[in-house]
Amino acid sequence: MRASVGDKVVNVKDNTVVGEIIEVRGEAGEPPYLVRAEDGHVALVASGRDIQVRRAEAR
């Protein structure tokens, strides 16, 4: 899984957006990612079967 700042992390079970990636801490876009949820909560997210990265529409 590769991502960039501004991409969204999505829960694949119910297709809901977990949050927006505000920092990529792995090498070459790899996890872990620092993610900000809509409520402002910030969490470190690693890869897993239940999450997917949705690319930001405009770069």
Side-chain angles (χ1 to χ4, degrees), residues 10-59:
V10 178
N11 180 328
V12 296
K13 288 185 176 182
D14 58 8
N15 202 34
T16 57
V17 175
V18 174
E20 180 177 342
I21 296 173
I22 58 173
E23 184 179 330
V24 177
R25 295 201 174 169
E27 292 184 28
E30 296 291 327
Y33 308 123
L34 198 58
V35 176
R36 181 182 300 123
E38 287 186 16
D39 66 1
H41 179 81
V42 175
L44 193 61
V45 176
S47 60
R49 293 187 314 214
D50 297 339
I51 65 166
Q52 182 178 50
V53 171
R54 183 179 299 157
R55 299 299 229 170
E57 292 182 20
R59 293 251 182 234

